[in-house]
Every structure is written in structure tokens, then in C-alpha cells.
Amino acid sequence: MTTHDPYHVYIYNLPYAERKKLCRILDYNNVWEELGGMQMKFDVASLQQVGAARFRGQSPSDELLSLWGTQNHTVLQLFVLLSKMHHYQAMMVLKPLVDPKYHRLIYEGEENFSQILPAKGPLKQPQESSIGSSTNKTTQVKANNNLLEEDNNMLCKRKEWNKDKLALKIPCNQNETTVADGLSPMISYVELEIATGGWDDRYLLGRGGFGTVYKGSWKNTLVAIKRLQVQKGDEGEMWKTHREQSLKELRYLNSCKHDNILALYGYSFGGPHDCLVYQYMPNGSLEDRLLCREGSKPLGWIQRHSIAKGTARGLQFLHTIGTKPLVHGDIKSANILLDSYLEPKIGDFGLAREGPLQQYTHVKVSRVHGTRPYLPDEFLRAKKFSTKVDTYSFGIVLFELATGLRAYDEYRKHKFLKDHVLSVEESQICETLRDTRGGPDDHHVAGSLVKLGKWCISARARERPEMVLVLHTLENG
């Protein structure tokens, strides 16, 4: 009768509790990167895929162990690799699963490894032994030959790895939760440079505080590429803010696939600039079309009504897709983009945040972000954040659609469009406010948009409709 060595444990059989604790340790400060690259010898492309686990709300270390485990590696081999890294905290997690004779590695280090094991030759598979055997033979465990070799160049290799890993690193705020279900492909910076003709100004679509947006041709497809302007060497608050917003946008656009939400094709982190690659919108932003920029044709009333419906449809999707609503936080005409059929797509999720659970009316936030003319008082003054912030912002967009005016104009008597609209008598709305560039308004769309807009901007958040009801009103009004 034979028995099996209780310490011969494959990585894929690592108990859940120990695996979870180990992954938490290795995730901290991205220790998994050195383990995977320097010790397990995975290439940069494989480690990029492992690191992408963060965007799916998963542990990169767990992903790494799964990948390494497919090669039938054992817990003992992992224990030895951690010894080479002098990561004794992680070794302590595995200690109960490793033959006690190897525990000396924790206390005395790798230099004693050769004394613990035979002088030459690999570790071998467990040997069968009889229960009644009188000799107490030490069980040998299989491992690679290279685990026995002293690594005299360990310090040099670690320096090289620290330098090279910049090419694969995908920074992420570990305290941030993610709702991402999938991940768009990572694109090399060189590909995007080629796609835009070397960032040629002829392909420039727009410029802002975050950086620049270029039109490009990537894989025979027209795309819009947002490139962060701040250089990577700048570790100031601005760089951190833009990076955080880019990561947030990446997560949310990956998790929210909808006809009225801008499609994200891919991303590029690790080059001179971070980049996000979107579906190209040939008709620009709603703001551009309402102001007839670049000589564009004015929008008709049926088109404006359709744009309002599509935007409301996208917003109500965001608010109802998860256990917590996703609040965009920066709804405005400049962030509503139009495709070749004038179908609206909500873009720029850099300020998006999760809202309160259903039983709560709002959450308190520490800082107010967004565009002032589109934000309600309870958010600006009391920092109360909820889906009703988006409802209010959408109300201002409805006013823009009806009037063709800017949300803020310092040369207007009432600088804020909201105040301008509310200053007009109800009976004078169509005559005074309607954008005449929209042509005949036989279906009284302008008046309906203003009426619904007023409901959306109600002073009290609880009196504003949820976006599901706003969409229902637009579809049946």
C-alpha cells in the first residue's frame, strides 16, 4: 500500500484561503510584476495581460498564479521563488503547505538552499514508500534544475527588470472599485503615432486642459484618439488627476456597452503619453452642431428631439445597469457626440462616479467636479451627489436644444442659460426662446423641450424625475 506526500501540492490546488491571502500580499505595490517577470520568466506581453486583471476588478496575482499553474508548478517551487525575492511575508502564507525541512529558507535565506537539498541534480517526484518501512526517508519533491542554482547576478537582473517593467505597468488606484466586465485591447503608442501621422496638427480635433484629441486611421478604421498632454515625468497633482480620470473612463466605458454610449476601441499606457482610442464621431459634438461650427447645417426639430431621446436612453441605462447607479457627472452638449446618422453617444466618463444605493437619496463627496452651468446647487454647495445631478444637467441640455444658445454667455443679461429661460414668461417661450435656425416647428418640439427641461432642473433634487421617466416622457410626448 502506498501513500502520497501531503506536501506535494500543485499551484492549481492551492487552498482558497491561502491563495486569497497570498494574492493580497503580492498585489500590494505590484510585487507580482517582479515575481512573474524576473522569477517565472514570463514575457512583457503575458504580464500586460496579467496586469489587465485590475480593470476587470480582479487580482493580477491570482491571474499570474493561474497562468503559472497551467505548467504544473508546485507550491514548493513558488516558495523557493519567493525566497529568491526575500519576500518572507508571502512565504509565511505557504509555510504550512511546504515540507518543514524547507522552512529554514524563511529564517536563513536562500544561501542555505544548497545545504537543505542534495548537492546536485533536480528535486524529484515523491517516492512511494511502504507504511511499515523501518527507514524514515525524506520525501523529495519535483522542481526545476534552475531552482537549485545560485543566482549571482540577482541584483543586476532586478535593476534591469525595474527598468524594463515601465513598458508593461498599468497604474491603478488600489482603493478604487471597478465595475468593468471586459477590457479593450492595449495598443502600442507607436501604432497611434502612425495612425495620426506623427500627431500631425492637421488631424487635430480638439484641445483642452486634459490634452488633445486627434482623428486617426487605425486598422483601416477612423478613430478619435485622446492623448494626455501632461508628460509622464510630471508627478504633480495634475498628472495624477488626469491619469485617474483616464483609468476611470477606461473602466466605465468597458463596463457600459450601449448604442448611446461612446464606444472605446482601446487604450495605450506606458508610452510618452497615455491615450484612449474611441469610435470616431463624424458630426462632432452636439455643442458644435447647435452653434453651427465649421459651417455645419443647423439641426431640425425632429433631429433635436431624436438627440434628446437618445441621450436620455443612454443616461437611464447608466443609472440602472448595476446595483449602484453610475452617475456621469459631466453631462453637457460638448460631451454628447453625434455619429454619421446624428445618433447621440455620451462620452467623457472621466468624472463618472457610483451613486447611492436605492434606499439612499445621495452620497456626500469630498470635491466637486464638472461644468458649473450644468450643475445643481445641492451638488455645488452641499456636495450631494446622485442621479439627479445628471437629470439637472440634462435639463440644461434640453434648453440648449430648444434655444440654440450657450449654457453660459457672459454677454447675456442672464449669463446662465437656466436663468435666461426662467426669466421668460410661459406664453412667450416659443416666440422668444425657440431657435429659428431649426426651421418650422410644426410639432411644437421647442416648447416640449423647455417644459421638460424645467422639470429636470427643479430646485429640489427629489422633485426632479429619474431619467427613466424623462425618456418615457420624450417617447410619448
Side-chain angles (χ1 to χ4, degrees):
M1 185 174 179
T2 61
T3 184
H4 294 290
D5 179 8
Y7 296 113
H8 185 72
V9 181
Y10 288 107
I11 291 295
Y12 51 74
N13 286 329
L14 188 61
Y16 174 79
E18 283 77 6
R19 182 166 177 145
K20 184 177 180 181
K21 186 175 181 180
L22 178 64
C23 289
R24 189 162 56 243
I25 293 170
L26 297 178
D27 281 345
Y28 185 73
N29 285 337
N30 297 317
V31 173
W32 64 268
E33 290 181 345
E34 182 180 343
L35 176 62
M38 230 178 116
Q39 305 297 339
M40 297 177 177
K41 310 301 181 185
F42 285 116
D43 58 24
V44 169
S46 297
L47 292 176
Q48 285 177 338
Q49 292 301 315
V50 170
R54 284 203 187 281
F55 297 101
R56 300 190 295 272
Q58 298 169 1
S59 163
S61 300
D62 190 64
E63 191 94 354
L64 179 67
L65 293 180
S66 296
L67 181 62
W68 201 55
T70 62
Q71 302 170 4
N72 289 328
H73 288 294
T74 66
V75 171
L76 174 60
Q77 288 176 292
L78 178 59
F79 191 77
V80 172
L81 295 187
L82 292 170
S83 173
K84 287 173 176 271
M85 295 171 60
H86 308 292
H87 204 307
Y88 303 120
Q89 182 186 13
M91 293 173 72
M92 289 299 294
V93 177
L94 301 179
K95 180 181 175 183
L97 305 173
V98 173
D99 192 314
K101 72 177 182 177
Y102 299 113
H103 293 178
R104 287 172 58 190
L105 291 175
I106 298 176
Y107 308 108
E108 299 177 23
E110 184 188 354
E111 62 272 11
N112 291 303
F113 197 35
S114 59
Q115 300 173 20
I116 298 173
L117 298 171
K120 290 184 180 180
L123 293 173
K124 298 178 181 178
Q125 281 278 36
Q127 301 294 314
E128 293 183 351
S129 61
S130 298
I131 291 180
S133 175
S134 60
T135 57
N136 184 20
K137 296 182 179 180
T138 303
T139 303
Q140 293 181 312
V141 183
K142 182 180 178 181
N144 292 335
N145 284 325
N146 62 357
L147 296 183
L148 297 172
E149 299 173 359
E150 290 293 330
D151 192 353
N152 295 325
N153 298 317
M154 182 63 69
L155 181 59
C156 179
K157 288 184 177 180
R158 182 170 281 122
K159 286 180 179 178
E160 290 176 3
W161 168 247
N162 287 335
K163 179 180 69 175
D164 292 342
K165 74 179 182 178
L166 289 175
L168 62 95
K169 197 168 177 102
I170 304 176
C172 180
N173 184 342
Q174 294 186 28
N175 295 321
E176 267 184 341
T177 57
T178 174
V179 294
D181 297 320
L183 185 70
S184 298
M186 186 169 187
I187 307 168
S188 74
Y189 185 80
V190 173
E191 279 186 80
L192 300 183
E193 202 166 28
I194 295 171
T196 57
W199 309 109
D200 194 319
D201 283 347
R202 291 178 297 173
Y203 303 120
L204 186 65
L205 295 176
R207 194 187 302 273
F210 60 86
T212 49
V213 179
Y214 292 85
K215 179 181 178 180
S217 178
W218 175 68
K219 296 194 180 297
N220 301 306
T221 304
L222 287 178
V223 293
I225 303 169
K226 177 158 63 172
R227 186 184 73 167
L228 259 67
Q229 195 61 43
V230 185
Q231 297 294 333
K232 287 197 68 176
D234 180 4
E235 295 297 332
E237 194 66 30
M238 183 179 294
W239 163 253
K240 292 178 183 177
T241 298
H242 289 320
R243 165 56 67 83
E244 181 181 321
Q245 290 180 5
S246 294
L247 290 168
K248 191 181 294 184
E249 188 161 7
L250 175 60
R251 285 192 291 273
Y252 289 145
L253 286 177
N254 270 309
S255 66
C256 301
K257 308 291 188 183
H258 189 273
D259 288 344
N260 296 111
I261 294 174
L262 185 63
L264 181 73
Y265 287 166
Y267 67 99
S268 177
F269 291 162
H273 302 269
D274 288 349
C275 300
L276 296 177
V277 183
Y278 309 91
Q279 178 185 4
Y280 174 66
M281 296 284 104
N283 276 304
S285 70
L286 175 58
E287 181 184 59
D288 292 337
R289 292 305 303 267
L290 288 175
L291 298 176
C292 299
R293 287 177 177 150
E294 304 291 331
S296 58
K297 183 180 177 182
L299 295 169
W301 289 107
I302 299 302
Q303 291 171 328
R304 297 181 193 220
H305 188 264
S306 176
I307 291 168
K309 279 196 300 183
T311 306
R313 190 176 295 113
L315 273 176
Q316 62 84 34
F317 178 82
L318 293 177
H319 292 178
T320 58
I321 187 62
T323 54
K324 290 183 179 181
L326 180 59
V327 183
H328 185 278
D330 198 20
I331 291 296
K332 56 184 178 181
S333 57
N335 286 339
I336 299 170
L337 305 171
L338 305 173
D339 68 11
S340 54
Y341 300 101
L342 295 176
E343 186 68 24
K345 313 274 186 178
I346 301 171
D348 200 342
F349 279 67
L351 300 182
R353 286 182 262 194
E354 286 186 337
L357 289 167
Q358 197 169 20
Q359 64 266 34
Y360 301 105
T361 59
H362 65 270
V363 292
K364 293 278 284 188
V365 296
S366 58
R367 298 178 65 181
V368 172
H369 295 286
T371 308
R372 172 67 180 86
Y374 295 88
L375 299 177
D377 281 346
E378 82 273 1
F379 182 46
L380 289 169
R381 299 177 188 277
K383 299 178 182 176
K384 295 180 179 179
F385 192 67
S386 70
T387 56
K388 300 301 181 71
V389 171
D390 280 349
T391 300
Y392 182 97
S393 303
F394 183 72
I396 303 300
V397 172
L398 291 178
F399 290 162
E400 290 181 276
L401 283 164
T403 66
L405 300 175
R406 298 173 184 269
Y408 180 85
D409 187 343
E410 61 179 317
Y411 299 108
R412 203 164 46 213
K413 178 181 178 182
H414 298 285
K415 295 179 172 57
F416 290 96
L417 182 56
K418 177 200 73 168
D419 298 330
H420 178 69
V421 170
L422 295 179
S423 70
V424 177
E425 293 289 337
E426 195 75 31
S427 59
Q428 300 295 315
I429 285 178
C430 290
E431 181 180 337
T432 307
L433 294 177
R434 181 173 61 86
D435 185 3
T436 57
R437 293 171 296 180
D441 186 13
D442 299 332
H443 295 86
H444 308 291
V445 173
S448 298
L449 295 178
V450 170
K451 182 178 179 181
L452 180 57
K454 286 184 176 181
W455 188 15
C456 290
I457 66 156
S458 298
R460 295 179 179 176
R462 66 173 178 269
E463 294 176 359
R464 296 175 210 143
E466 292 290 356
M467 287 306 303
V468 172
L469 182 53
V470 173
L471 175 61
H472 178 78
T473 304
L474 284 165
E475 289 179 332
N476 298 280

